[in-house]
Amino acid sequence: MTAHPRQPRIVLFGLGGTIAMAPVAGGGVAPALSPSDLVAAVPGLAESGIAVEVVDFRRLPGASLDFADVHALSVAVDGAFAAGADGVVVAQGTDTLEETAYLLDLWHAGPRPVVVTGAMRNPTAAGHDGPANLLAALRVAADPGVAGLGVLVVLADEIHPARRVRKTHSTSVGAFTSPNGGPLGYLVGGRPCVLHRPEGRFVLPRPADPPTARVGLVTVTLGDRGELLHGAEDRLDGLVVAGMGVGHVPERLVGRLHEIGGRIPVVLASRTGAGPVLTDTYAFPGSERDLLARGLVPAGFCDPVRARLLLCAALAAGADRATVAGAFAAAGGYTAPDSWPWA
Ligand code: ASP
């Protein structure tokens, strides 16, 4: 932890999600609370010395957030920094938290921290984790020691990089993990401790308008006959294939993927949840070598959901085929971070 020279000013954007839910007539919970309500529920915030300003940005479940919301949020985050904020916290639904965080990260060039958080237990539940997560996120955002790390995700006292974190459990309070590399650090007694820093930053130009590229994601499965791939090149601007293992598909899909890849960029990721797509090991029909020789782009360590966002953002930035390949080479870990196509 690094002390701030003066009282840190953090802007909190509330987007809804479980952290902001309240009971609904007829049963269940739905987004209802404002970010002021969230702040009021945090014990110890006054003593933390952090000045918090709130922006009631959206009150949506994570699943209903869209590219337009994240794009508008990214613009608003830049506005908060331009107005002098030391850091930003985003509180949102956990269902799409890793996607919001990654897209914000791709568009966040500056050194000041953006921290995304949420809750797994709603405010009516015993042991609601919202206040603890929010306080931890505010503390990280107020810590100059995290400058330059890009967008971070803080839940359950763990600090994760937006480029790697994933929701890997549907209900656990420890749902957020970084299967490739682990967390960057922890909150210990409320103090952020960063133990290691990822190399490089992968930032690309944010388009003036929200991305509109139609990028699909298809997971390949046992006995797959490729029904979801029919006409994909006519309906989509790009495709991510979540292949088996290190990037394999059944032989019968190879021709179809080759045809699609002749028209639109097709990125090959792994459906396993951790580890990279290989490039040079297996040599059977449908292997990674076969698919890459047919023009598919290997995603490296980028998981399928993240690969889809990177492809969307790259296309929105005007990337051609070679630039898309260069982006995945750097972000996927095949080449050095400084080979990233954008400055
Ligand atoms: N389970 C979700 C959450 O934690 C619901 C959502 O994403 O809004 O917020």
Side-chain angles (χ1 to χ4, degrees), residues 150-228:
V151 176
L152 300 169
V153 167
V154 171
L155 285 100
D157 280 346
E158 293 188 346
I159 304 167
H160 294 270
R163 67 165 87 162
R164 293 204 295 251
V165 71
R166 295 187 47 235
K167 185 177 185 180
T168 53
H169 195 286
S170 62
T171 60
S172 168
V173 290
F176 283 81
T177 61
S178 295
N180 294 312
L184 300 184
Y186 305 89
L187 282 108
V188 180
R191 292 157 42 109
C193 296
V194 175
L195 301 180
H196 62 96
R197 297 176 164 260
E199 250 191 294
R201 291 280 299 277
F202 303 114
V203 176
L204 47 70
R206 183 182 61 217
D209 297 310
T212 52
R214 300 159 303 168
V215 177
L217 167 55
V218 171
T219 301
V220 173
T221 52
L222 177 77
D224 206 321
R225 279 164 171 70
E227 290 88 348
L228 295 175

Side-chain angles (χ1 to χ4, degrees), residues 90-119:
V90 175
Q92 75 150 86
T94 57
D95 290 354
T96 51
L97 195 153
E98 74 208 61
E99 290 169 88
T100 304
Y102 185 54
L103 210 39
L104 287 176
D105 193 42
L106 287 172
W107 290 333
H108 178 52
R112 283 177 277 181
V114 177
V115 181
V116 188
T117 192

Side-chain angles (χ1 to χ4, degrees), residues 15 44 59 78 114 122 131 200 218 284 298:
L15 269 64
R59 293 193 196 175
D78 282 357
V114 177
N122 73 70
V218 171
F284 52 82

